[in-house]
Amino acid sequence: MAGFNKIKITPPRWLLAELTYACPLQCPYCSNPVDYAKYQAELSTEDWKRVLSQARKMGAVQLGFSGGEPLTRKDLTELVKHARDLGYYSNLITSGYGLTEEKIIRLKDAGLDHIQISIQASTQELNDHIAGTTSFRHKKEVAHLIKKHGYPMVLCVVIHRENIHQMPQILDMAENLNADYLELANTQYYGWAHANRDLLLPTKEQFEEAEQTAQAFKEKVAGKMKIYYVVPDFYEDRPKACMNGWGTTFLTIAPDGVALPCHSARDLPGLDCPSVNEYSIEEIWNDSKAFNFFRGYEWMKEPCRSCDEKEKDFGGCRCQAYLLTGDMYNADPVCSKSLDHSVVQQAIESAKISATLSATEKPLIFRNSKNSRNMV
Amino acid sequence: MHRLQWEEVQQKDIILYPEGMVELNQSSAEILKLCDGTRSLDQIVSELELKFATTGLKNDITAFLEIALKNGWIQQN
Ligand code: SF4
Ligand code: SF4
């Protein structure tokens, strides 16, 4: 089989550098692995510099510094500087926690291109509850400072059942903070969000109302602010084209140096995701088992294998197929052609039932080390 | 907010902006490089027509500049 239809490998263009799993916040929708507490090791500054250089040479040009909270890394400015020298466009993806005016200036001087700051809700009470940390006022101050120092700013708000009713106020807030882009990220159910799905998944009616509000706003602010709307795939009948195709565009490096074709791939069985401690980015991207695993279409089962839409969505998300059907080769069950499509309906029903329970009967599991150790 | 940059690996010019990028074909890149705030539309058209020894580019260039403007790659003043 191999050798004949050799799949053409495109260069990586996006590098997501997850600098650390440390984070002062505790968002219950966090996309980090639920067992993150067991990965304590972190790459050194020199390791990261090598990774950035090698990935740049391979073609990566968009660079996200994320985590956890990347600001907890003392060498962030140094890494930003290195990235700038290499010609990356660097994005800092932060909760804003711990960001001061002095740091904002220092990062700018080092060549940081853009800052994405997340806010959890439009009110202090809800923001601080979801973040599990008092942070609302500080975040808003930081947003002002980001603009003051001339960065383009993306304001990111993750949307779920607890804050979806605030959509109009969230939009106002984005306008008042002069965000250049507003990312309305409907929760994607991986990691902690998967564990808390019953409490986070809104109803279809809630989604539709929020979406209409966002759509009207989008037209109103056209030319001034751009809206990135991350669709809630549980209410779609086709899956998202995950990662723009496996191993075609995106490369994630986890804090301990494990290279991932998508940020949840750590949970997939048998991939043997390679570490930058052992291999170069070139070896990882071109030759590793993990990055070749779902390249192309040969791995597919029915109904994807003979589906005429496979080049559009690549069968959807492998992690979602695995989490919801137990088999990572299946079609993403969000697809209405999937034989397992009913699991999505069941998840929606189950969330509806949970909505009637009180917080003591069914509490949110916050993302912290204690909970992480208990989840294993 | 946007950065135009030559990418050696891809042998392409690209536009970079927060969390995104667009790969440009050669003609789009040629047009954008002339949008430096000093040239008028007519100057851009005639320079490119001269460079590629052709005529009648105005419509194509205008259409592309409208897209560029709408995406915020360039600004009008
Ligand atoms: S989602 Fe929340 S808890 Fe997770 S890394 Fe981001 S700020 Fe921290
Ligand atoms: S069957 Fe598979 S390839 Fe076809 S639309 Fe559904 S997920 Fe995509």
Side-chain angles (χ1 to χ4, degrees), chain A residues 13-14 56-59 61-62 84 87-89 91 113-114 116 152 154 181 183 226 228, chain B residues 1-3 5-10 14-21 23 70-73:
Chain A
R13 269 141 295 161
W14 251 105
R56 179 76 188 115
K57 210 167 146 223
M58 291 286 294
V61 60
Q62 275 284 355
R84 177 67 267 216
Y88 278 106
Y89 187 94
N91 306 270
D113 290 289
H114 145 249
Q116 182 203 102
V154 175
Y181 298 77
E183 181 167 334
K226 278 199 193 147
Y228 291 145
Chain B
M1 190 142 43
H2 295 79
R3 194 160 100 204
Q5 179 170 312
W6 170 254
E7 283 299 291
E8 197 56 38
V9 177
Q10 300 181 57
I14 61 169
I15 297 179
L16 294 156
Y17 51 91
E19 293 167 38
M21 69 182 115
E23 296 172 2
K70 210 170 130 238
N71 284 294
W73 302 338

Side-chain angles (χ1 to χ4, degrees), chain A residues 65-66 68-71 92-97 99 115-119 139 142 146:
Chain A
F65 286 111
S66 92
E69 175 49 70
L71 289 167
L92 175 65
I93 299 161
T94 176
S95 69
Y97 199 93
L99 200 51
I115 299 181
Q116 182 203 102
I117 179 170
S118 64
I119 297 191
K139 280 167 180 278
V142 167
I146 292 170

Side-chain angles (χ1 to χ4, degrees), chain A residues 17 39 44 46 49 58 65 98 120 123 137 150 165 197 200 202 208 228 233 251 265 280 283 293 297 316 332 340 353:
Chain A
Y39 308 109
S44 69
E46 289 315 309
K49 284 189 175 171
M58 291 286 294
F65 286 111
Q120 279 64 12
T123 58
R137 290 225 181 112
H165 63 284
R197 190 181 64 206
L200 295 176
E208 284 170 350
Y228 291 145
D233 59 356
L251 168 63
S280 70
E283 291 168 318
F293 218 91
Y297 305 98
D332 185 329
D340 300 288
I353 295 168

Side-chain angles (χ1 to χ4, degrees), chain A residues 148-185:
Chain A
K148 179 179 162 195
H149 289 283
Y151 286 98
M153 178 172 77
V154 175
L155 179 69
C156 173
V157 185
V158 176
I159 306 293
H160 45 77
R161 196 160 77 215
E162 302 258 323
N163 68 1
I164 195 165
H165 63 284
Q166 292 188 341
M167 185 59 86
Q169 291 78 29
I170 289 169
L171 301 173
D172 282 346
M173 176 172 75
E175 221 177 352
N176 291 334
L177 293 174
N178 286 314
D180 299 288
Y181 298 77
L182 171 62
E183 181 167 334
L184 295 167

Side-chain angles (χ1 to χ4, degrees), chain A residues 9-169:
Chain A
I9 298 178
T10 51
R13 269 141 295 161
W14 251 105
L15 173 62
L16 187 67
E18 295 186 329
L19 296 183
T20 176
Y21 284 136
C23 184
L25 272 62
Q26 310 185 38
C27 311
Y29 53 70
C30 184
S31 61
N32 287 159
V34 287
D35 56 357
Y36 76 86
K38 80 177 186 222
Y39 308 109
Q40 294 282 349
E42 282 189 10
L43 292 181
S44 69
T45 309
E46 289 315 309
D47 291 333
W48 276 116
K49 284 189 175 171
R50 183 185 73 241
V51 166
L52 296 183
S53 301
Q54 291 178 349
R56 179 76 188 115
K57 210 167 146 223
M58 291 286 294
V61 60
Q62 275 284 355
L63 169 63
F65 286 111
S66 92
E69 175 49 70
L71 289 167
T72 62
R73 282 280 299 214
K74 302 239 169 354
D75 53 1
L76 181 61
T77 314
E78 192 178 340
L79 296 177
V80 165
K81 168 92 177 49
H82 187 67
R84 177 67 267 216
D85 292 344
L86 292 167
Y88 278 106
Y89 187 94
S90 38
N91 306 270
L92 175 65
I93 299 161
T94 176
S95 69
Y97 199 93
L99 200 51
T100 58
E101 185 157 24
E102 195 209 322
K103 274 191 207 166
I104 289 174
I105 295 169
R106 223 186 312 133
L107 287 166
K108 181 110 202 177
D109 292 342
L112 183 64
D113 290 289
H114 145 249
I115 299 181
Q116 182 203 102
I117 179 170
S118 64
I119 297 191
Q120 279 64 12
S122 65
T123 58
Q124 172 160 15
E125 193 190 356
L126 188 56
N127 177 89
D128 292 355
H129 169 63
I130 294 294
T133 313
T134 308
S135 54
F136 186 66
R137 290 225 181 112
H138 178 63
K139 280 167 180 278
K140 286 178 68 168
E141 261 169 53
V142 167
H144 283 297
L145 291 170
I146 292 170
K147 288 303 298 174
K148 179 179 162 195
H149 289 283
Y151 286 98
M153 178 172 77
V154 175
L155 179 69
C156 173
V157 185
V158 176
I159 306 293
H160 45 77
R161 196 160 77 215
E162 302 258 323
N163 68 1
I164 195 165
H165 63 284
Q166 292 188 341
M167 185 59 86
Q169 291 78 29

Side-chain angles (χ1 to χ4, degrees), chain A residues 129-293:
Chain A
H129 169 63
I130 294 294
T133 313
T134 308
S135 54
F136 186 66
R137 290 225 181 112
H138 178 63
K139 280 167 180 278
K140 286 178 68 168
E141 261 169 53
V142 167
H144 283 297
L145 291 170
I146 292 170
K147 288 303 298 174
K148 179 179 162 195
H149 289 283
Y151 286 98
M153 178 172 77
V154 175
L155 179 69
C156 173
V157 185
V158 176
I159 306 293
H160 45 77
R161 196 160 77 215
E162 302 258 323
N163 68 1
I164 195 165
H165 63 284
Q166 292 188 341
M167 185 59 86
Q169 291 78 29
I170 289 169
L171 301 173
D172 282 346
M173 176 172 75
E175 221 177 352
N176 291 334
L177 293 174
N178 286 314
D180 299 288
Y181 298 77
L182 171 62
E183 181 167 334
L184 295 167
N186 281 289
T187 303
Q188 307 290 306
Y189 295 95
Y190 307 99
W192 293 82
H194 178 69
N196 283 305
R197 190 181 64 206
D198 276 344
L199 291 167
L200 295 176
L201 185 64
T203 63
K204 190 163 195 202
E205 292 70 34
Q206 287 174 315
F207 266 136
E208 284 170 350
E209 195 187 328
E211 192 172 6
Q212 273 176 22
T213 312
Q215 187 57 38
F217 180 78
K218 187 174 177 174
E219 284 156 28
K220 188 185 121 191
V221 296
K224 256 177 38 198
M225 189 193 305
K226 278 199 193 147
I227 314 285
Y228 291 145
Y229 192 81
V230 181
V231 296
D233 59 356
F234 274 45
Y235 292 108
E236 300 285 313
D237 56 12
R238 287 291 177 273
K240 53 186 179 257
C242 198
M243 293 289 114
N244 194 34
W246 186 272
T248 66
T249 313
F250 288 93
L251 168 63
T252 295
I253 307 293
D256 57 351
V258 170
L260 306 168
C262 94
H263 67 269
S264 302
R266 195 157 211 156
D267 292 336
L268 297 176
L271 249 57
D272 304 332
C273 291
S275 167
V276 300
N277 291 319
E278 284 168 72
Y279 302 99
S280 70
I281 298 296
E282 189 176 349
E283 291 168 318
I284 288 171
W285 187 259
N286 291 333
D287 307 326
S288 73
K289 177 177 169 192
F291 279 78
N292 282 296
F293 218 91

